[in-house]
Amino acid sequence: NGAEGKPMLPKYVEGIEKINVALQQFSDAIDGVAKESNAKALAAYKANGKLLELYRSEALNAARAVADTFNSAAGFKDAAKIEKANAELAVMEAKLVEMRAEHEKRKAESPKSLPTIDRYDSIYASLTAFAGHYREARKSPQKFNDAIGKFNEAIDASNMMSR
């Protein structure tokens, strides 16, 4: 019998709405701290001449921007979102070219400066596959999950090097 619960529904809905607002505020605060931390790391890489790390981070940031552009299949019908994602994808691909060149240079000139677990080739492969899956998703949005999977692989590979 739902008659007893019916009067409680408005309070329940109000409580859920308050929780959602609080969660969004918390998420926004975390995002702000993460952006600030990321900006500091990029500045430090640049200041210290750590181009390989800089290009990796910039490529991952651009890929994240593409991933964050779409939260539903309907987003792939939005020309402005596609344009934004395409611009970020171009940045990502340019940074991958720079990352790969810097990685080869460092392997040749200073291999001990590379991390013990060197996953730059995996990051390159995962983000290149991410780009391909994103392009497929523009025609068939359900394929965007494959792109996100490749993005996550790139993040995992990057995190392995930080351990």
Side-chain angles (χ1 to χ4, degrees):
N1 184 347
E4 294 172 12
K6 204 169 191 175
M8 294 172 29
L9 182 61
K11 274 188 163 182
Y12 174 78
V13 170
E14 180 184 335
I16 293 296
E17 288 171 355
K18 285 180 182 177
I19 289 170
N20 285 339
V21 167
L23 285 173
Q24 188 58 55
Q25 290 170 339
F26 180 70
S27 179
D28 292 346
I30 295 292
D31 288 348
V33 169
K35 282 181 183 176
E36 184 179 314
S37 175
N38 187 34
K40 286 180 183 177
L42 292 176
Y45 291 150
K46 204 176 282 188
N48 295 318
K50 293 189 167 203
L51 297 179
L52 181 58
E53 293 82 357
L54 176 66
Y55 300 148
R56 178 199 69 215
S57 295
E58 290 174 332
L60 288 169
N61 287 345
R64 180 174 286 111
V66 173
D68 288 348
T69 300
F70 304 99
N71 55 12
S72 73
F76 286 92
K77 294 178 183 173
D78 184 330
K81 285 185 176 189
I82 295 290
E83 185 177 334
K84 177 182 181 269
N86 288 348
E88 291 293 346
L89 192 72
V91 169
M92 182 200 81
E93 290 178 321
K95 293 303 172 181
L96 284 177
V97 169
E98 291 176 312
M99 182 188 83
R100 183 160 231 181
E102 187 65 23
H103 186 230
E104 292 303 319
K105 178 181 170 188
R106 200 173 303 173
K107 281 197 296 190
E109 295 176 3
S110 181
K112 290 187 187 243
S113 71
L114 292 168
T116 305
I117 301 173
D118 181 353
R119 304 286 295 164
Y120 282 99
D121 290 335
S122 294
I123 293 168
Y124 181 87
S126 293
L127 290 181
T128 299
F130 168 80
H133 288 302
Y134 162 71
R135 288 184 175 100
E136 290 175 14
R138 289 188 314 211
K139 297 174 196 143
S140 183
Q142 69 273 16
K143 294 191 178 195
F144 195 57
N145 287 336
D146 296 333
I148 296 302
K150 290 301 178 181
F151 170 70
N152 288 336
E153 286 178 18
I155 294 294
D156 289 345
S158 181
N159 289 341
M160 275 186 212
M161 293 191 302
S162 301
R163 292 181 188 150

